[in-house]
Amino acid sequence: MSLLQVRDLHTHFISRNLDNEIRVAKALNGVSFEVSRGEVLGLVGETGAGKSLTAYSVMDLLKPPAKVVGGTVEFDGRNLRDLEAEDMNKLRGSEIAMVVQNPRSSLDPLTRVGEQLIRVHTAHTDTSESAARARAIEKLGAVGIPAPEQRMRAWPHELSGGMAQRVLIAMALMNEPKLIIADEPTTGLDVTVQAQILDLLRELVVTHNVAAMVITHDLGIVAHYCNRMAVMFAGRIVETGDVETVFDNPSHPYTRTLIASTPERLKEGKQKVLGGGAPPNLYNLPPGCHYVERCRFADESCNKPLSLDQVGDGHFAMCTRLDAVREGWPS
Ligand SMILES: Nc1ncnc2c1ncn2[C@@H]1O[C@H](COP(=O)(O)OP(=O)(O)O)[C@@H](O)[C@H]1O
Ligand code: SF4
Ligand SMILES: [Mg+2]
């Protein structure tokens, strides 16, 4: 049984134009995925695909004009969409923790690191200050910060980007979360630090038995650090499965294009597949497949409503012309 099950999630931006007519940007259009304890799910797709919006919709952190208008978010047996704001608030930061890009901007520049870690814990529990302090030191150690006791006194500006991200991960662990959502956690960090942070996340998923969702535009990160993946395009998951399965046997043309364009594949002498293009207009999406404008396999059958269909063991894709794609794809 998965810890988090998201089913058919729809999120819209609802506004009015100058003529006072309602305008709806359909940013999430039936997002479905799940993630279990001990597993890292990679949510991957180009900028604007709706990855962050998915995280914010799950966490109930949207601000108007964004609004979840349909679907279910089941977490540990509860439908989060039914929870009162107060209960949802308790759940965030305790059972579900979020790690974001630009860790320094998430830390309070005027408060020492240790104090921030302690506050995260005492705000959610009845723990004493001294117990919270001991826990903060333990968590700083768990994320590989040397001399954690001294580091408790550090100011955020004294930390490197990599160290700041470790502190944020320690903060995420303070309340023993069941799920960690990391949104582009290593964007902006140099490659070596990026690898250390992602190795750490993967290790913590096992040692702390949590579920993790890593949001990234970088397929290399998914290949190296995730167990399962969900490929997002224009507010939908278009393919999902075990990382190895999807990389060995990508089905959707968008996934195929992404994989064919990775440096590893190009190094193998594979032909570069052009797959770029403008993202679809969220105010006026096509009735069927959202990829239709970019897809060279498109025909009239692609204008019908689609579903995420099983194509293999735990492997699903949203495309009506998989046979034509398989036959016509350049080898
Ligand atoms: N106020 C808004 N009105 C309409 N669309 C918006 C608004 N804010 C964001 N969007 C759209 O929501 C989509 C999802 O964005 P986001 O989740 O941040 O993408 P990602 O994290 O995958 O890069 C984007 O295509 C963006 O253009
Ligand atoms: S073949 Fe049709 S359904 Fe499949 S990805 Fe292309 S446009 Fe979409
Ligand atoms: Mg984003």
Side-chain angles (χ1 to χ4, degrees), residues 292 297-303 320-321:
V292 70
F297 299 96
D299 72 6
E300 59 289 345
S301 70
C302 306
N303 293 321
T320 54
R321 287 176 50 73

Side-chain angles (χ1 to χ4, degrees), residues 162-235:
M163 279 295 160
Q165 194 54 291
R166 284 177 194 265
V167 168
L168 265 205
I169 294 171
M171 205 176 265
L173 294 174
M174 278 303 282
N175 298 323
E176 306 293 345
K178 296 171 180 162
L179 170 68
I180 299 176
I181 300 180
D183 190 358
E184 307 269 2
T186 57
T187 305
L189 300 179
D190 78 49
V191 183
T192 321
V193 179
Q194 178 168 319
Q196 290 165 353
I197 296 288
L198 291 164
D199 270 333
L200 168 69
L201 254 179
R202 194 170 53 171
E203 183 193 310
L204 292 171
V205 161
V206 178
T207 55
H208 286 60
N209 192 31
V210 294
M213 191 171 141
V214 171
I215 295 177
T216 176
H217 60 274
D218 184 344
L219 208 61
I221 286 181
V222 175
H224 287 107
Y225 301 99
C226 300
N227 312 107
R228 274 196 319 114
M229 61 193 283
V231 180
M232 191 158 203
F233 184 80

Side-chain angles (χ1 to χ4, degrees), residues 107 112-115 117-118 132-154 159 163-171 173-174 200 204 208:
L107 293 167
R112 291 183 197 269
V113 161
E115 220 37 56
L117 288 165
I118 290 168
R133 178 170 299 276
R135 174 181 282 254
I137 295 168
E138 180 218 318
K139 295 304 177 196
L140 286 179
V143 299
I145 290 193
E149 231 169 313
Q150 277 111 294
R151 283 292 173 156
M152 290 283 283
R153 298 189 50 75
L159 304 172
M163 279 295 160
Q165 194 54 291
R166 284 177 194 265
V167 168
L168 265 205
I169 294 171
M171 205 176 265
L173 294 174
M174 278 303 282
L200 168 69
L204 292 171
H208 286 60

Side-chain angles (χ1 to χ4, degrees), residues 215-285:
I215 295 177
T216 176
H217 60 274
D218 184 344
L219 208 61
I221 286 181
V222 175
H224 287 107
Y225 301 99
C226 300
N227 312 107
R228 274 196 319 114
M229 61 193 283
V231 180
M232 191 158 203
F233 184 80
R236 279 182 185 160
I237 305 300
V238 296
E239 185 155 1
T240 182
D242 287 342
V243 168
E244 251 176 54
T245 307
V246 175
F247 270 80
D248 286 348
N249 189 18
S251 297
H252 194 283
Y254 180 59
T255 317
R256 284 174 176 266
T257 303
L258 286 180
I259 292 177
S261 313
T262 54
E264 285 85 357
R265 294 292 156 108
L266 295 175
K267 246 187 267 156
E268 286 167 16
K270 295 268 194 284
Q271 177 184 347
K272 177 146 178 96
V273 182
L274 296 174
N281 177 359
L282 300 179
Y283 290 97
N284 187 21
L285 286 168

